[in-house]
Amino acid sequence: MKRVQYDRYGGPVEMYVGDYDLQKVADGEVCVSIKAAAINPFDWKLRRGAMKVVTGRRFPKGMGTDFAGIVTEVGSKVINIKVGDEVFGTVDFKKSGAFAEAAVLDAGNVVKKPPQLSFGEAACLPIAAMTAWVAILDRAKARAGSRIFINGCSGAVGSFAAQLARAHGAHVTGTCGRTARGSEKAPGVDLVYGYADKHEYARNGKFDAVFDTLGTLGVGEGLSMLMPKGVFVDINPTPGRILRGMLSRRYKLAFATMGIRHLAAIAQLAGEGTLRPKIGLEAPFSDALSVIANAETGPRPSGKIVLAF
Ligand SMILES: NC(=O)c1ccc[n+]([C@@H]2O[C@H](COP(=O)([O-])OP(=O)(O)OC[C@H]3O[C@@H](n4cnc5c(N)ncnc54)[C@H](OP(=O)(O)O)[C@@H]3O)[C@@H](O)[C@H]2O)c1
């Protein structure tokens, strides 16, 4: 079996396509033949060692988390998934390795792929949509009439967040790059600003929730934009931001891992067309190393980058 892997933490130069042996499928696990895998910024952050306290020092490590594919084997205690099912999901980041021909993972981390979605579209969903769900519905509690601000509304997380907020009746304001303004890059956003238009969007006391997908909005700045009971939601915590946030009970963190229980609901919303994954580039697995390196170091296309097997 082939996969993208690395033998030490570091930049794109550490990645190579190498051989690996699939582990035996345990009682609660499934084996999936991967048809498409989507790239997340999280993948290169892991490879760079951003979470090495958790991911440890055993190498080689497989790269990639989000995938869609076909089940080839199920453990004896798996009841909801059978061989031949088309599924999508996310590999536990502590064992990541979805940029691979096949993966063995916990059956709780996969759900059936909606038939309306291609493998590539389904692979775009897990981390980005789970993070958006936790941020917008669990933390910001978007509801009819609430006013939500999303910094980075054209990115994968930001765009799913805007779609979820709109689906719950919220009014969405967001920022994105100049080229994205007024285009289809920001579906679900009622009012779109450029990043530089702070004097226009950063008015005091305007929003029920501010969701910073990029980590570029100061915590104080975000808090000042809130109504008295509003919340600032962060998905790029740094020690400085957490410290600053601890001074306010209205600063909340959101992580993709908290969203795994919502994967089935996400599949349903995507099947109905409420959540619309957008592919910016679909490339063959043979181009994986250059495609990942380009996404990491250069300008990214609008929409997710998907590796097809
Ligand atoms: N806490 C968690 O569990 C969690 C989960 C998922 C993601 N995250 C983090 O959240 C952030 C957003 O993730 P995402 O998947 O939404 O990312 P993404 O799809 O790449 O989009 C993020 C934004 O980055 C801008 N962008 C485009 N090219 C860029 C480049 N070369 N460098 C920097 N920004 C660029 C885009 O805006 P414009 O093109 O409009 O400028 C876009 O709005 C990342 O830092 C990621 O690590 C955290």
Side-chain angles (χ1 to χ4, degrees):
M1 291 281 173
K2 298 278 182 207
R3 69 176 183 181
V4 176
Q5 56 189 26
Y6 51 100
D7 293 334
R8 61 179 179 189
Y9 294 119
V13 70
E14 303 301 340
M15 296 183 289
Y16 62 95
V17 175
D19 291 309
Y20 72 106
D21 294 323
L22 267 183
Q23 79 240 39
K24 204 169 163 296
V25 177
D27 290 348
E29 291 182 329
V30 295
C31 181
V32 179
S33 167
I34 294 176
K35 299 293 170 205
I39 301 172
N40 287 287
F42 188 53
D43 299 323
W44 61 73
K45 289 182 183 180
L46 282 180
R47 196 208 55 230
R48 286 179 177 273
M51 301 197 63
K52 59 184 162 199
V53 180
V54 185
T55 48
R57 297 221 156 258
R58 279 181 67 179
F59 295 100
K61 288 188 188 302
M63 205 175 158
T65 43
D66 287 352
F67 68 86
I70 299 173
V71 176
T72 57
E73 197 179 337
V74 297
S76 60
K77 292 195 176 146
V78 176
I79 47 172
N80 54 333
I81 304 278
K82 59 182 190 315
V83 170
D85 280 351
E86 296 186 349
V87 295
F88 74 98
T90 188
V91 175
D92 181 338
F93 75 89
K94 297 189 261 339
K95 313 173 187 167
S96 61
F99 301 157
E101 289 175 328
V104 171
L105 71 154
D106 193 306
N109 283 18
V110 299
V111 293
K112 287 185 189 150
K113 177 180 81 64
Q116 301 88 337
L117 264 57
S118 67
F119 285 111
E121 288 169 325
C124 297
L125 286 165
I127 286 192
M130 293 190 312
T131 310
W133 186 298
V134 174
I136 287 297
L137 302 184
D138 295 346
R139 299 284 186 267
K141 304 211 183 300
R143 61 195 175 280
S146 57
R147 300 179 66 84
I148 308 273
F149 179 85
I150 301 172
N151 187 36
C153 62
S154 61
V157 176
S159 147
F160 284 136
Q163 293 172 45
L164 282 173
R166 270 291 285 275
H168 283 74
H171 181 277
V172 182
T173 304
T175 54
C176 57
R178 282 258 161 230
T179 51
R181 290 184 69 180
S183 80
E184 288 178 357
K185 269 176 85 178
V189 184
D190 298 289
L191 209 51
V192 184
Y193 291 99
Y195 297 126
D197 302 332
K198 279 198 177 163
H199 56 288
E200 289 179 56
Y201 67 74
R203 300 217 192 97
N204 289 345
K206 219 175 153 191
F207 299 100
D208 295 292
V210 168
F211 176 26
D212 184 6
T213 73
L214 302 176
T216 55
L217 205 59
V219 176
E221 212 168 16
L223 290 172
S224 75
M225 293 163 65
L226 294 172
M227 291 190 196
K229 289 191 175 164
V231 292
F232 178 92
V233 186
D234 190 3
I235 57 171
N236 291 285
T238 58
R241 280 166 74 92
I242 293 175
L243 258 175
R244 176 71 182 80
M246 277 164 64
L247 299 174
S248 166
R249 292 215 314 268
R250 295 188 293 156
Y251 172 83
K252 294 183 187 290
L253 291 169
F255 296 103
T257 43
M258 299 162 169
I260 193 77
R261 66 188 187 284
H262 303 307
L263 205 53
I266 285 166
Q268 187 176 340
L269 288 180
E272 294 165 3
T274 304
L275 278 181
R276 295 192 307 280
K278 184 177 168 198
I279 297 177
L281 171 70
E282 190 154 354
F285 180 60
S286 53
D287 292 350
L289 299 185
S290 60
V291 167
I292 299 165
N294 288 343
E296 185 173 351
T297 55
R300 297 198 278 282
S302 162
K304 296 284 291 181
I305 302 171
V306 171
L307 301 172
F309 294 79

